[in-house]
Amino acid sequence: MDRNTSRSFSANEKEIERLLKEYSRWKERLSYFSEEINFLNQYLGADIFQKNVLNLYERLQIFYDELQNFKRESLELIRELHNHRYDIEGILECEDISCEVFYHNQHLKLEQRILDFAQKFRKFKLEIFSFTAKYLRRASKEN
């Protein structure tokens, strides 16, 4: 493949703009997940649950431990996303289509990891809320 043919498929400003918009959406989404994780940390440790519920606090501790794993994974995704910003800009410097394909594949892999994280985290939140809802105190002086 000669240089002129490969350049006709090279990344253009519009493609970079599209990738950067996706990057921004992912960054915003991961930031939102971080806020949710912080809220759930406080929620699980709050004095809002009924007293004398068999194994309640053990179960809350399991949720808390799992939440710490989500926090670590979220921080890792944020770090990867930050580094990915430079990869997107690096596409402009590619001299052949295989270089561009590599960066696009990296973009798609990161997107899938974020989607997988979002799905797991959503399921986890539902578990927490489904389990804890029935044990919330109805009044501040309630046992």
Side-chain angles (χ1 to χ4, degrees):
M1 187 178 273
D2 71 15
R3 193 173 186 104
N4 289 336
T5 306
S6 68
R7 292 313 297 166
S8 67
F9 294 108
S10 67
N12 58 33
E13 305 269 323
K14 240 181 181 174
E15 179 63 10
I16 299 300
E17 188 177 318
R18 183 187 70 77
L19 295 175
L20 288 173
K21 281 181 182 178
E22 286 182 356
Y23 161 86
S24 292
R25 282 194 305 270
W26 299 346
K27 185 176 177 184
E28 185 178 318
R29 194 169 189 195
L30 288 172
S31 176
Y32 185 77
F33 291 148
S34 292
E35 290 299 319
E36 287 184 307
I37 289 168
N38 290 335
F39 169 78
L40 289 171
N41 266 323
Q42 291 180 358
Y43 176 78
L44 291 172
D47 186 23
I48 57 174
F49 300 104
Q50 298 170 13
K51 307 291 185 211
N52 302 321
V53 175
L54 188 62
N55 297 323
L56 174 65
Y57 291 99
E58 290 81 357
R59 182 69 176 152
L60 292 177
Q61 183 62 47
I62 290 169
F63 283 136
Y64 178 82
D65 293 344
E66 287 181 55
L67 188 60
Q68 301 321 299
N69 291 332
F70 278 103
K71 184 175 185 174
R72 278 189 289 281
E73 188 175 353
S74 173
L75 290 172
E76 175 66 20
L77 285 170
I78 290 168
R79 185 190 62 74
E80 284 185 42
L81 186 62
H82 176 75
N83 292 336
H84 183 63
R85 170 87 163 94
Y86 301 108
D87 291 344
I88 292 171
E89 293 172 354
I91 292 173
L92 285 173
E93 298 181 21
C94 286
E95 294 189 10
D96 62 29
I97 193 75
S98 64
C99 175
E100 293 173 24
V101 168
F102 171 78
Y103 283 119
H104 281 341
N105 284 340
Q106 294 301 106
H107 187 82
L108 293 173
K109 285 178 187 177
L110 183 55
E111 177 181 37
Q112 189 59 54
R113 286 196 57 216
I114 292 169
L115 291 172
D116 291 345
F117 176 84
Q119 184 177 16
K120 285 187 315 189
F121 189 53
R122 187 172 22 253
K123 182 180 175 191
F124 175 69
K125 288 184 299 184
L126 285 173
E127 279 182 54
I128 289 176
F129 296 140
S130 294
F131 178 80
T132 60
K134 59 187 166 264
Y135 300 118
L136 287 172
R137 284 191 265 162
R138 302 292 178 235
S140 61
K141 300 199 190 293
E142 185 178 326
N143 288 341

